[in-house]
Amino acid sequence: MAGRKSLLLIEEDQRSRDFVRGALSRLGFEVVVAQSGVEGVGRFAPGLFSLVITDLHLPDMGGLEVLRKIKHLSPDTAVVVLASDSEVSDVVQALRLGASDYLLKPLQDAAVIDHAVCRITNAETLELQNREYREELERRNRELRDHVELLQRDQQAGRLLQQHLLPRTPYQYPGGIEAAYRLNPSLYLSGDFVDYGLFGERFVAFYLVDVSGHGVSSALVTALIKHSIMHLLREKPLFAQLDTLDSDLLDILGMINSELLSTRLDKHASMFVGVIDGRARQLHYAVAGQVPMPALITASGADWLPGKGRPLGLFEQGNWQVMRASLPPSWRLVACSDGVLELLEGDLLQKEARLLQAIDHSRGDLDSLCTELHVDTSGALPDDVTILTLRQG
């Protein structure tokens, strides 16, 4: 009798009882019937029933009292109350006591019962999935706390660990695409992170992420982001087909956004993620709160790429957009974390104009751009400074 599909129905009126039991049986529930409040409470035990339906008007005990007793024994058990139009105030009280829904008598439409019960059971399934997801996140948080203890003992070891997670620079891919970066943390550890990789023989994927804050906590979030992306890569074949590139980029942003919201580390991040289709000479990309925007350099000069999207870790929905840009035989792509703007004078618009001018003047060459911006000679940096470049031709 026990099980996830067992349901307890507490109802004195036989006609109503038979109607509800018939509707629930069609939904696959095994229905246990009690004709009074005392009998119903006596039959109930935590974990025995996935749902309880009780009339508010019972011969020996008020339905509200039945609800109180069941919720006291098992607060997570969903309870639906049956009431007449004249018992509206009792319905309001039942909802305040924790009832999940109510049905008005006389019951004449089985679809109304189906809708209420299915909504509750679907919500319980979602809650179970969320609980399992939270447990997985808690497991990852425990791993992160272990890393924090290690880094607190030896920050230099932490810096070496983060550098080990970064890709080689520069790195040459088939087809003449080269990726390189410069990452200068403001402290021992950086809240900036970059990565790139070849998928098949056609697609080069990459990202630059800038986590809010500095030091150990932000650096650990970058490690979580890399770990999560690697986990996603193990679960599904990202960047394997042309027609799924855009959805793959959105999956990455959505996954990291969920991670940051769920871990409750009070961290958000900006991100530029993209994939280069070497065969079609096309860039697919998306931005999440990216400032400054990435710049594409062609024979006609340097221009900011268009695009918009909310930062990660602040909103349930980011409204991210996948954009595309055609690539000529020779091109350069430059993406910077917002720490680069701290190296320039003026307000935000002036800083962005000066940065674009420096990018254009350097023609996207990483060493030349770092020299022009004094990235390596600025002494103590107010923020992490990262520049990611990709080029071909």
Side-chain angles (χ1 to χ4, degrees):
M1 182 169 62
R4 296 177 62 187
K5 299 291 287 185
S6 294
L7 184 147
L8 176 62
L9 173 61
I10 308 172
E11 170 63 295
E12 177 193 23
D13 181 69
Q14 181 175 353
R15 181 176 179 181
S16 176
R17 187 170 64 239
D18 292 344
F19 184 82
V20 174
R21 178 162 55 181
L24 295 172
S25 297
R26 288 192 295 274
L27 290 176
F29 282 95
E30 181 179 359
V31 183
V32 176
V33 173
Q35 299 184 34
S36 69
V38 172
E39 181 185 1
V41 173
R43 286 180 174 270
F44 180 81
L48 190 61
F49 302 101
S50 59
L51 179 65
V52 175
I53 299 179
T54 180
D55 193 357
L56 287 179
H57 184 72
L58 295 169
D60 58 342
M61 181 187 300
L64 292 177
E65 184 62 24
V66 172
L67 174 61
R68 287 191 185 94
K69 291 181 179 295
I70 289 176
K71 282 296 182 179
H72 177 74
L73 293 170
S74 179
D76 292 334
T77 298
V79 179
V80 175
V81 297
L82 304 176
S84 64
D85 290 333
S86 61
E87 297 173 313
V88 174
S89 60
D90 287 342
V91 168
V92 173
Q93 182 65 14
L95 294 175
R96 289 174 177 171
L97 291 173
S100 300
D101 207 342
Y102 67 93
L103 299 171
L104 293 179
K105 299 171 64 176
L107 296 168
Q108 299 176 334
D109 187 356
V112 174
I113 301 175
D114 294 353
H115 176 75
V117 173
C118 288
R119 184 185 62 81
I120 292 171
T121 54
N122 288 340
E124 289 176 340
T125 300
L126 180 60
E127 174 61 26
L128 177 62
Q129 293 172 346
N130 288 338
R131 187 180 304 119
E132 293 173 348
Y133 185 60
R134 288 194 298 270
E135 290 173 355
E136 174 64 15
L137 290 176
E138 290 172 1
R139 182 188 66 80
R140 294 185 185 182
N141 284 338
R142 287 193 295 270
E143 294 177 356
L144 287 175
R145 283 193 292 271
D146 292 341
H147 285 300
V148 169
E149 293 175 2
L150 172 64
L151 294 174
Q152 288 175 337
R153 290 194 299 267
D154 191 346
Q155 288 198 35
Q156 183 61 42
R159 183 173 185 175
L160 294 175
L161 173 63
Q162 189 177 48
Q163 290 175 342
H164 178 74
L165 295 175
L166 289 163
R168 284 187 290 171
T169 179
Y171 196 85
Q172 190 84 22
Y173 291 105
I177 298 176
E178 181 185 276
Y181 67 90
R182 188 71 54 85
L183 193 158
N184 288 5
S186 58
L187 301 173
Y188 271 104
L189 296 164
S190 174
D192 292 356
F193 198 80
V194 299
D195 206 356
Y196 36 74
L198 177 67
F199 293 82
E201 299 179 355
R202 180 174 179 177
F203 305 118
V204 175
F206 59 88
Y207 67 86
L208 184 153
V209 65
D210 182 357
V211 178
S212 60
H214 312 281
V216 173
S217 61
S218 298
L220 287 175
V221 174
T222 67
L224 172 64
I225 289 173
K226 170 150 185 169
H227 170 78
S228 300
I229 291 176
M230 297 303 296
H231 182 72
L232 185 62
L233 285 169
R234 288 192 294 268
E235 287 186 340
K236 61 180 298 188
L238 295 179
F239 312 123
Q241 298 180 6
L242 177 61
D243 58 358
T244 62
L245 292 183
D246 293 357
S247 61
D248 291 342
L249 293 173
L250 294 177
D251 284 346
I252 289 176
L253 292 176
M255 179 268 299
I256 296 175
N257 189 61
S258 297
E259 291 276 19
L260 293 178
L261 289 173
S262 302
T263 52
R264 298 179 181 178
L265 295 175
D266 194 28
K267 292 291 182 182
H268 61 274
S270 62
M271 190 171 190
F272 171 48
V273 58
V275 57
I276 297 167
D277 180 355
R279 187 180 304 170
R281 291 193 178 279
Q282 191 169 56
L283 168 67
H284 301 242
Y285 69 93
V287 293
Q290 179 68 28
V291 176
M293 287 294 291
L296 180 64
I297 309 164
T298 61
S300 59
D303 287 300
W304 299 123
L305 288 174
K308 62 180 180 179
R310 292 173 174 174
L312 305 172
L314 294 177
F315 307 95
E316 292 290 344
Q317 300 294 329
N319 297 329
W320 307 293
Q321 301 174 350
V322 176
M323 309 290 291
R324 300 182 186 183
S326 297
L327 300 174
S330 178
W331 54 268
R332 305 288 187 271
L333 181 64
V334 177
C336 305
S337 64
D338 61 3
V340 171
L341 298 176
E342 300 296 329
L343 305 176
L344 301 169
E345 299 292 336
D347 58 28
L348 178 59
L349 292 178
Q350 292 171 330
K351 290 181 177 183
E352 289 182 333
R354 287 178 176 140
L355 176 58
L356 186 62
Q357 184 179 25
I359 291 172
D360 188 35
H361 186 261
S362 70
R363 300 303 298 163
D365 178 75
L366 180 60
D367 291 335
S368 299
L369 181 58
C370 289
T371 298
E372 185 157 350
L373 295 174
H374 306 288
V375 169
D376 301 318
T377 58
S378 294
L381 298 170
D383 195 2
D384 303 327
V385 172
T386 301
I387 301 175
L388 169 66
T389 65
L390 294 103
R391 65 181 184 178
Q392 185 179 35

